[in-house]
Amino acid sequence: METDISKCFDEIDHQVMLNGVVLPKEALKGLRKAVKAGVRGEYPDRIKGTPQGGVISPLLANIALDGFENLGSDQWKRRRSRPLIRGIRYADDAVFICKPEADTKRLREDIDEFLKSRGLQINETKTKVSKATEGFDFLGWRFRVNSRGVFKSTPSWENYADIKAKVKATWRNGATTEARLKRIESQIRGWRQYHKNCDMSKHSLWSLNHWVWRKLRVEKRRKAIKEAEKARRLAIKGKPLGAAKRQLTSEQIKKAFPTVPWKVNDHAMVKGDASPYNGNIPPALINGGGRSKFQII
């Protein structure tokens, strides 16, 4: 089941958010004022909602929606003692993986009740139940069970189209060639790093790579022609008219499209109740020692 919360950041109840925050009295008072202030005075004295894009808004929404991913966990398979429903949530985006015998109608009722208590409601047009063989999109990935029963994740086509549009827009922005290639390198590395746990065999970005290569070749040829014309005007003998070397162009493109190792279905689930205060962190990592340090105060 794919779920979508209608206007989550605009409609979420302030009191529910603040009830879940544990802070000293003065700090909580300051947080309440910040939540009520709105955006640049545009929405003064608000009783609900938090500015989407605000520094603390994702944290507050996460506090208010805590437990949403656990809905349906009371439905179990009798023989194997396994849950029939498993929820996965990231901020206000969530999906529920349901076994065929799971009661999705009951799950939907639990979702509606949970959201109603927080001043929210489900988006009917974007919430749907899909078969695993049909696939579903979540956080820029496409999850699907193929005809052989193998579960795989790939970049969603929408996400794939976005990176291509972003790279082409970067190339057309008018900056220097070096600056554009450096920016494209950062975009490609970030995109491939984000999808490193997916099946990337059909998402090599070859067509985009070739598109940038052709654009770069054209640009270099034009530059070579201009330099040749300048040499003629200045009567400089012996200066070659040569077009840009293909090898140099290929090396620049290779650098602009760095490779990142990938492994299918190697996602790591984030534990919602993980905290440095749980007492399960090795002593060597607390207040010194080790590569990571937790300063517990």
Side-chain angles (χ1 to χ4, degrees), residues 139-187:
L139 301 179
W141 295 309
R142 180 72 177 175
F143 296 94
R144 180 175 172 269
V145 175
N146 62 22
S147 57
R148 293 178 297 173
V150 179
F151 180 79
K152 283 189 177 182
S153 59
T154 59
S156 68
W157 285 111
E158 183 178 353
N159 187 276
Y160 187 53
D162 286 345
I163 186 62
K164 292 196 289 186
K166 188 181 293 185
V167 168
K168 291 181 179 181
T170 299
W171 183 260
R172 297 185 180 114
N173 74 356
T176 63
T177 302
E178 291 73 18
R180 283 179 289 170
L181 289 175
K182 189 173 182 179
R183 177 61 178 163
I184 289 173
E185 178 187 356
S186 176
Q187 292 171 339

Side-chain angles (χ1 to χ4, degrees), residues 136-144 150-157 159-160 190-204 260-268:
F136 61 92
D137 292 345
F138 183 57
L139 301 179
W141 295 309
R142 180 72 177 175
F143 296 94
R144 180 175 172 269
V150 179
F151 180 79
K152 283 189 177 182
S153 59
T154 59
S156 68
W157 285 111
N159 187 276
Y160 187 53
W191 186 80
R192 284 178 168 167
Q193 187 71 24
Y194 182 77
H195 295 294
K196 67 179 181 179
N197 298 317
C198 296
D199 181 2
M200 300 294 286
S201 58
K202 295 183 180 180
H203 294 78
S204 64
V260 174
W262 54 271
K263 185 177 180 181
V264 184
N265 297 343
D266 198 33
H267 298 86

Side-chain angles (χ1 to χ4, degrees), residues 14 17-18 28-51 56-57 60:
H14 282 176
M17 287 192 295
L18 297 174
L28 186 61
K29 187 184 295 184
L31 177 61
R32 182 183 295 274
K33 289 180 179 179
V35 171
K36 297 292 183 181
V39 182
R40 294 182 181 178
E42 187 177 354
Y43 302 105
D45 302 327
R46 302 187 71 178
I47 60 173
K48 61 181 181 179
T50 179
I56 202 170
S57 295
L60 293 175

Side-chain angles (χ1 to χ4, degrees), residues 97-110:
I97 311 299
C98 306
K99 296 288 185 180
E101 56 268 37
D103 189 348
T104 55
K105 184 177 180 181
R106 179 182 160 195
L107 172 62
R108 176 57 195 274
E109 292 174 352
D110 292 341

